């Protein structure tokens, strides 16, 4: 059976490189769009991607997790397996990315809980049918040049907030030119009740956690939850709490 093509016309081609046991995803450039340790395909390899799971400190039992931008499917796979009672929806515009994730990155086929859709993320968040349906929104939207988020306007972030339930949480990765950071933070703060900007974790990747409704924060409780996350998910969550504490003390 011939290998599937990952270069459908009209979209950047999806390619891979492998180095020291890690397989990386590219979109026709040298920029890494995601990665997977081949011997441990269900774990999250990159630090900033692990930090995108910071919402687990506040929502231990989500019912619906939405991923905008599939990348190498690390978050989608992880959520699908870690939260067996949750629905997981992933939105990806580039069909080449979906195809290569299915063949080279272990993305399972759609079923009653997993729904990977080839569509524009903006169309998804603007659709009233999706409003109020998600507990968690994870946003990592980059094109092949990776100079900044593809979608970053106040209107986009408002639509993201609209997709969340009353206590919903968004985590997003902001990477690229320096001007992107302030613009994105300002636009998120316009529509979310609380926005926390954590220190850079990997090659200028900044992870933001945005709350539709600001939570009551008890750091002793959060550190206890971080220990539980470490045991059950193999994610080092203590630095997340440290980052939250540092942010609030500034």
């Amino acid at each position: 059976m011939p290998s599937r093509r990952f270069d459908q016309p009209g979209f950047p081609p999806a390619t891979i490189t492998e180095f020291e046991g890690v397989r990386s995803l590219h979109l026709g450039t040298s920029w890494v769009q995601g990665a997977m340790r081949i011997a441990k395909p269900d774990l999250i390899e990159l630090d900033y991607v692990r930090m995108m799971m910071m919402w687990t400190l506040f929502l231990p039992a989500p019912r619906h997790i939405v991923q905008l931008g599939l990348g190498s499917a690390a978050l989608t796979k992880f959520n699908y397996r870690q939260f067996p009672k949750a629905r997981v929806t992933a939105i990806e515009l580039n069909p080449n990315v979906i195809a290569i994730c299915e063949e080279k990155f272990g993305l399972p086929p759609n079923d009653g809980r997993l729904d990977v859709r080839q569509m524009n993320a903006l169309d998804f968040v603007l659709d009233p049918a999706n409003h109020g349906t998600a507990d968690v929104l994870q946003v990592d939207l980059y094109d092949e040049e990776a100079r900044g988020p593809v979608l970053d306007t106040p209107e986009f972030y408002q639509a993201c907030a609209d997709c969340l339930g009353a206590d919903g949480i968004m985590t997003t990765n902001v990477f690229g030119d320096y001007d992107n950071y302030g613009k994105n933070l300002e636009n998120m703060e316009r529509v979310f009740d609380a926005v926390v900007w954590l220190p850079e974790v990997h090659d200028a990747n900044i992870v933001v956690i945005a709350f539709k409704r600001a939570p009551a924060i008890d750091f002793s409780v959060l550190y206890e939850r971080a220990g539980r996350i470490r045991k059950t998910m193999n994610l080092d969550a203590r630095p997340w709490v440290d980052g939250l504490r540092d942010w609030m003390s500034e």
Side-chain angles (χ1 to χ4, degrees):
M1 180 177 176
S3 179
R4 295 169 65 182
R5 289 183 55 181
F6 310 126
D7 59 354
Q8 290 188 44
F11 300 91
T15 59
I16 60 171
T17 56
E18 294 183 4
F19 180 70
E20 295 185 345
V22 174
R23 178 176 294 160
S24 297
L25 170 67
H26 308 270
L27 296 179
T29 72
S30 61
W31 289 107
V32 174
Q33 302 280 347
M36 177 188 75
R37 187 161 295 277
I38 297 169
K40 299 178 179 179
D42 290 336
L43 298 184
I44 301 175
E45 177 66 17
L46 299 178
D47 287 341
Y48 89 86
V49 181
R50 287 194 289 267
M51 191 176 278
M52 297 275 286
M53 294 295 300
M54 185 167 46
W55 57 264
T56 53
L57 290 168
F58 303 92
L59 291 174
R63 296 161 299 175
H64 186 202
I65 305 164
V66 177
Q67 174 74 28
L68 302 182
L70 184 61
S72 62
L75 286 168
T76 300
K77 291 187 300 179
F78 191 81
N79 287 321
Y80 177 71
R81 295 191 165 98
Q82 288 290 332
F83 301 98
K85 294 183 179 180
R87 292 188 298 122
V88 178
T89 301
I91 306 302
E92 172 57 51
L93 180 63
N94 189 339
N96 298 318
V97 171
I98 297 174
I100 206 167
C101 283
E102 290 173 342
E103 186 157 316
K104 301 295 185 181
F105 290 91
L107 177 66
N110 284 351
D111 59 19
R113 289 199 306 114
L114 178 63
D115 182 13
V116 178
R117 305 184 200 174
Q118 193 239 318
M119 67 180 297
N120 190 307
L122 184 60
D123 292 338
F124 178 89
V125 296
L126 288 175
D127 187 346
N130 297 319
H131 290 177
T133 65
D135 300 302
V136 177
L137 194 61
Q138 297 178 140
V139 183
D140 197 7
L141 293 167
Y142 288 84
D143 61 16
E144 65 274 21
E145 297 299 329
R147 290 180 177 170
V150 174
L151 299 171
D152 60 6
T153 64
E155 293 76 17
F156 169 68
Y157 288 123
Q158 179 63 64
C160 287
D162 291 340
C163 287
L164 294 169
D167 292 307
I169 298 174
M170 178 181 77
T171 56
T172 184
N173 172 43
V174 179
F175 171 83
D177 297 334
Y178 181 78
D179 290 345
N180 288 317
Y181 301 124
K183 178 178 69 173
N184 277 270
L185 178 59
E186 180 180 331
N187 289 343
M188 288 181 224
E189 287 179 332
R190 290 183 183 183
V191 297
F192 285 91
D193 200 19
V195 178
V196 180
W197 193 267
L198 292 189
E200 176 183 331
V201 287
H202 178 266
D203 291 344
N205 292 97
I206 302 287
V207 173
V208 180
I209 183 167
F211 300 89
K212 191 161 182 181
R213 179 160 57 192
I217 292 182
D218 181 329
F219 283 104
S220 62
V221 172
L222 292 183
Y223 279 118
E224 181 182 337
R225 291 176 182 170
R228 192 158 53 244
I229 291 167
R230 178 66 181 264
K231 290 180 180 178
T232 59
M233 301 185 199
N234 197 29
L235 295 173
D236 186 9
R238 187 177 180 87
W240 308 344
V241 185
D242 292 340
L244 290 167
R245 186 183 58 191
D246 292 346
W247 174 273
M248 291 187 67
S249 67
E250 292 179 358

